Amino acid sequence: MATDLHAITNSKPLSSFSEQELSEVLKKLKALNLERFKYSRIVDDKETWVEAQGEWEAEVDEEAKYPDIYYSSPYPISFYLKENLGIVTFIYKYRFLYDISNDEEAISAFRKDLLDFVSIFGGTEVYFLADNACDKLSNFLELQAFENTSYETIKTGLLKEFGKPVTDYRSLDYSTLNYGNITEFVFDDFNDLKK
């Protein structure tokens, strides 16, 4: 079972759910000009890479106490906007953070795109979480973030559980990654990019 990468951010809720406000957010998302993800497909018995189709869409769950919005996309990133936080979902596996740890250009591009993205929703920082087999990090994601626990409460819990976060992607060592017993977590406040 794959372990997917997620991030939580200190986003701000929408003031209303008017068509105009939803439309403004979609315009900002489209303006990011992210690269669409590609996936493998068999055509005429040959593997070929196909670019994802479609565009940003906002799906409002009006049944929730506070209407949640899911921004789906054909890009490597999508977003759940909740009342107390935002949840970034990626097409990447959790190990992606470790895979890029030795590639300064990849780290810079990833961080810039992520900051541009979360800024649309008022986010200024992120904590990375994981689902499935990553027991401790997935508990914070599935039992708290998806249940609309506040960003600050989760942040406090992560710091209490794990201590000081990793803030330098270059210090991540794939040989130490153990999904069943992760003892580190990654935080990014993007301060160097905000200058």
Side-chain angles (χ1 to χ4, degrees), residues 4-139:
D4 294 329
L5 178 64
H6 297 267
I8 59 169
T9 187
N10 56 341
S11 60
K12 309 294 180 249
L14 294 182
S15 58
S16 71
F17 292 89
S18 68
E19 286 297 322
Q20 180 181 351
E21 189 173 25
L22 291 170
S23 179
E24 287 300 315
V25 171
L26 289 171
K27 282 182 195 172
K28 291 176 184 177
L29 290 170
K30 289 175 185 174
L32 290 175
N33 290 321
L34 297 174
E35 187 175 320
R36 294 171 185 270
F37 71 84
K38 295 183 173 109
Y39 58 95
S40 175
R41 189 172 199 179
I42 304 297
V43 177
D44 296 328
D45 294 329
K46 291 182 184 176
E47 182 181 36
T48 185
W49 287 93
V50 178
E51 189 175 85
Q53 298 300 304
E55 196 44 77
W56 286 102
E57 292 183 24
E59 302 165 23
V60 180
D61 178 3
E62 309 222 12
E63 307 264 324
K65 185 176 178 182
Y66 169 85
D68 294 340
I69 305 173
Y70 177 61
Y71 291 94
S72 61
S73 80
Y75 304 100
I77 193 168
S78 294
F79 193 69
Y80 288 94
L81 181 62
K82 295 186 166 284
E83 182 179 20
N84 296 315
L85 78 163
I87 305 168
V88 184
T89 62
F90 300 92
I91 63 165
Y92 308 123
K93 304 304 175 207
Y94 184 78
R95 67 176 277 171
F96 173 80
L97 297 175
Y98 293 76
D99 291 341
I100 66 170
S101 66
N102 293 317
D103 186 337
E104 193 64 44
E105 190 175 313
I107 293 169
S108 294
F110 174 72
R111 292 181 67 232
K112 180 193 175 306
D113 286 348
L114 184 54
L115 175 60
D116 290 346
F117 181 81
V118 298
S119 295
I120 290 173
F121 302 96
T124 60
E125 60 185 41
V126 297
Y127 281 92
F128 290 98
L129 299 176
D131 65 2
N132 296 331
C134 194
D135 62 351
K136 293 178 183 176
L137 289 179
S138 67
N139 284 341

Side-chain angles (χ1 to χ4, degrees), residues 108-195:
S108 294
F110 174 72
R111 292 181 67 232
K112 180 193 175 306
D113 286 348
L114 184 54
L115 175 60
D116 290 346
F117 181 81
V118 298
S119 295
I120 290 173
F121 302 96
T124 60
E125 60 185 41
V126 297
Y127 281 92
F128 290 98
L129 299 176
D131 65 2
N132 296 331
C134 194
D135 62 351
K136 293 178 183 176
L137 289 179
S138 67
N139 284 341
F140 282 97
L141 176 69
E142 294 165 5
L143 302 179
Q144 294 185 43
F146 279 119
E147 296 300 321
N148 198 26
T149 301
S150 77
Y151 177 81
E152 289 301 322
T153 298
I154 296 173
K155 178 178 179 176
T156 300
L158 285 166
L159 294 169
K160 183 178 179 184
E161 176 84 26
F162 298 107
K164 188 176 178 183
V166 172
T167 57
D168 183 353
Y169 295 76
R170 294 169 297 187
S171 69
L172 295 172
D173 180 2
Y174 182 73
S175 69
T176 66
L177 178 59
N178 175 350
Y179 288 115
N181 191 26
I182 285 185
T183 56
E184 62 189 6
F185 69 107
V186 182
F187 167 72
D188 199 335
D189 61 10
F190 309 102
N191 278 343
D192 57 317
L193 299 179
K194 295 174 189 171
K195 296 175 183 175

